[in-house]
């Protein structure tokens, strides 16, 4: 089973989570990951979409807001790794959320770690 790893991408310490692992369903799991990020001295946590529960991308559930706000409150940036094109096409609210997130610096939706490294280097 692949494990989470700490990487340096464009001079940023990143806790890169494995796609396999326990699902991140809410604030409790986010708090556990924040502890892991502190231990790894990471400034950014890269979370594969495969680790998130199905309701994360359904903005009506508020799961995304609760989880992401927890990271931001503790000073961590978050990159959500994977393709959200199909989900965003079905949900104008999600498409807006992705677009606005990607304009900022705290939360990004990126296809893969290569895209994340490119964004960090810019």
């Amino acid at each position: 089973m692949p494990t989470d790893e700490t990487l340096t991408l464009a001079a940023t310490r990143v806790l890169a989570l494995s796609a396999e692992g326990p699902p991140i369903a809410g604030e409790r799991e986010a708090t556990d990951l924040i502890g892991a990020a502190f231990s790894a001295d990471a400034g950014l946590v890269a979370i594969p979409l495969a680790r998130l529960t199905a309701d994360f991308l359904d903005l009506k559930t508020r799961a995304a807001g609760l989880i992401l706000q927890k990271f931001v409150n503790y000073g961590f940036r978050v990159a959500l790794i994977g393709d959200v094109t199909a989900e965003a096409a079905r949900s104008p609210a999600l498409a807006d959320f992705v677009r606005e997130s990607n304009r900022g610096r705290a939360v990004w939706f990126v296809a893969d770690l290569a895209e994340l490294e490119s964004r960090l280097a810019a």
Side-chain angles (χ1 to χ4, degrees), residues 1-67:
M1 175 175 172
T3 59
D4 303 340
E5 60 183 327
T6 305
L7 310 170
T8 301
L9 301 176
T12 300
R13 298 261 309 166
V14 176
L15 175 61
L17 303 183
S18 167
E20 293 82 32
I24 302 161
E27 292 179 271
R28 172 177 246 183
E29 293 85 6
T31 301
D32 291 344
L33 291 174
I34 288 166
F38 271 121
S39 294
D41 196 29
L44 187 146
V45 180
I47 304 172
L49 292 174
R51 288 285 295 273
L52 299 165
T53 58
D55 64 341
F56 183 86
L57 294 177
D58 181 357
L59 298 183
K60 291 180 297 206
T61 68
R62 298 184 36 196
L66 292 171
I67 291 169

Side-chain angles (χ1 to χ4, degrees), residues 62-80:
R62 298 184 36 196
L66 292 171
I67 291 169
L68 296 173
Q69 190 62 49
K70 182 70 76 172
F71 282 99
V72 173
N73 287 348
Y74 281 90
F76 291 98
R77 296 164 65 193
V78 178
L80 300 158

